[in-house]
Amino acid sequence: DTAVSQTPKYLVTQMGNDKSIKCEQNLGHDTMYWYKQDSKKFLKIMFSYNNKELIINETVPNRFSPKSPDKAHLNLHINSLELGDSAVYFCASSQDVEGYGYTFGSGTRLTVV
Amino acid sequence: AQSVTQPDIHITVSEGASLELRCNYSYGATPYLFWYVQSPGQGLQLLLKYFSGDTLVQGIKGFEAEFKRSQSSFNLRKPSVHWSDAAEYFCAVERDMRFGAGTRLTVKP
């Protein structure tokens, strides 16, 4: 009964491939997010999405795209993978209430070779 | 520019010693403030948060944090550190859930 679950936990792939990371939350939260954590542990928000709007961090390449089939899922699709995409990607969710705080998944370690 | 700063990249304390992790923010108004902990290979777990009221907030695992408006700070404290507290700690502000760079805590036996 994990609150925010991501799959896969590890993903190793070659440059140029297209891959997806899945995220599901069973908390009934309104909003979901994707974060990228680099090798220095720096966390950068990539997307936030609720049923009203998608907010994209303008620094995220358009090779990255979120897909939300329903309120409980926010998948991350990455096209034409590059070496620099190697990182840990975290999904998170929250209620659309200020000060609520986020619940994070356990992360997906992506390695591009 | 809006920012959140954790001045200490790495801190080492002895088990049983007290701990203080620093966090400073730079925002136009007082944002909502959070501390998260990330254990190795894990996601981030919310330790505590502040948005109004009592400036000393209690969290899980024996942690507390004090909001000081005059210093734009929200420092995390624990009176007696346990070996299991070794982890990465992140301060965050909720205007756009911006995280600090993190402080890695090492606990010596």
Side-chain angles (χ1 to χ4, degrees):
Chain A
D1 55 344
T2 305
V4 179
S5 60
Q6 298 178 227
T7 54
K9 190 168 177 65
Y10 300 96
L11 181 55
V12 181
T13 187
Q14 291 186 326
M15 278 194 304
N17 284 351
D18 303 335
K19 290 293 180 186
S20 295
I21 305 172
K22 294 185 177 180
C23 179
E24 176 182 4
Q25 55 97 3
N26 62 5
L27 299 167
H29 286 169
D30 303 312
T31 308
M32 297 182 72
Y33 311 84
W34 278 104
Y35 278 82
K36 178 180 180 180
Q37 186 175 49
D38 63 23
S39 58
K40 295 186 176 171
K41 302 289 187 182
F42 184 72
L43 280 155
K44 184 178 80 169
I45 190 165
M46 302 176 71
F47 306 101
S48 67
Y49 181 79
N50 61 23
N51 58 7
K52 300 168 192 168
E53 66 177 328
L54 170 66
I55 300 175
I56 302 171
N57 184 322
E58 61 186 14
T59 68
V60 174
N62 58 16
R63 297 181 294 103
F64 290 78
S65 58
K67 298 282 194 294
S68 181
D70 56 56
K71 184 179 167 181
H73 296 83
L74 184 66
N75 303 325
L76 182 64
H77 296 265
I78 316 170
N79 294 326
S80 303
L81 277 154
E82 301 178 357
L83 292 176
D85 297 332
S86 296
V88 181
Y89 292 84
F90 287 100
C91 178
S93 71
S94 179
Q95 285 288 39
D96 195 14
V97 173
E98 278 193 319
Y100 193 84
Y102 292 9
T103 302
F104 282 82
S106 58
T108 296
R109 181 175 294 277
L110 172 65
T111 303
V112 182
V113 297
Chain B
Q2 298 176 337
S3 66
V4 55
T5 304
Q6 293 179 246
D8 305 306
I9 295 173
H10 184 202
I11 284 183
T12 299
V13 299
S14 297
E15 190 167 16
S18 63
L19 170 71
E20 182 168 28
L21 303 182
R22 297 184 291 165
C23 174
N24 295 97
Y25 65 91
S26 173
Y27 277 77
T30 301
Y32 296 103
L33 296 158
F34 303 81
W35 274 99
Y36 289 83
V37 60
Q38 183 181 21
S39 298
Q42 301 297 314
L44 281 75
Q45 181 182 21
L46 180 65
L47 282 175
L48 46 78
K49 60 184 178 182
Y50 170 80
F51 47 90
S52 67
D54 193 345
T55 56
L56 185 65
V57 294
Q58 302 297 319
I60 62 171
K61 305 186 179 188
F63 285 92
E64 66 179 25
E66 185 172 14
F67 170 67
K68 292 186 177 179
R69 186 187 304 275
S70 61
Q71 298 177 18
S72 296
S73 68
F74 187 56
N75 294 348
L76 182 71
R77 301 195 294 244
K78 186 169 185 177
S80 177
V81 169
H82 187 262
W83 64 267
S84 60
D85 293 325
E88 193 86 22
Y89 291 80
F90 293 92
C91 182
V93 296
E94 190 186 87
R95 289 288 183 222
D96 48 6
M97 198 50 90
R98 187 180 299 246
F99 284 83
T103 298
R104 181 161 61 95
L105 174 64
T106 297
V107 181
K108 292 191 302 185

